[in-house]
Amino acid sequence: WAHVQELEARYANIQRPVLIIWGDQGDVLEPQIPERLLKKLPDARLQRVPDAKHSPHQERPLLCARWIRAFIERE
């Protein structure tokens, strides 16, 4: 965990926008992680997929692709 905490400490140095796509039905990671990431990443955006688990890009690929495309085109 020390390594993970070291990585998290460097999140504030990220100077690019970040898109977080999160499956709300996931059972692999803690459910509060997206909010923690939003607080630590200076320019992060969150898109939630209510009916997806840990791999929303595989479970809802067209939706995720649309969000990614819009995110890239905005930047």
Side-chain angles (χ1 to χ4, degrees):
W1 290 111
H3 181 66
V4 171
Q5 291 174 338
E6 180 184 320
L7 287 173
E8 284 183 348
R10 296 191 294 185
Y11 287 173
N13 298 327
I14 295 175
Q15 299 298 312
R16 301 290 302 160
V18 174
L19 175 63
I20 302 166
I21 298 177
W22 189 264
D24 276 342
Q25 300 301 315
D27 55 1
V28 175
L29 300 172
E30 299 171 356
Q32 66 271 24
I33 287 180
E35 284 74 24
R36 285 185 13 212
L37 288 171
L38 285 173
K39 289 179 184 176
K40 292 179 184 248
L41 293 163
D43 190 10
R45 296 176 186 103
L46 174 63
Q47 290 285 353
R48 293 181 172 277
V49 185
D51 56 345
K53 293 187 177 186
H54 185 67
S55 301
H57 62 289
Q58 292 177 326
E59 298 169 56
R60 298 287 308 276
L62 297 178
L63 176 64
C64 292
R66 188 171 68 235
W67 287 340
I68 293 167
R69 177 176 293 235
F71 178 78
I72 290 170
E73 289 175 351
R74 221 181 351 226
E75 298 309 317

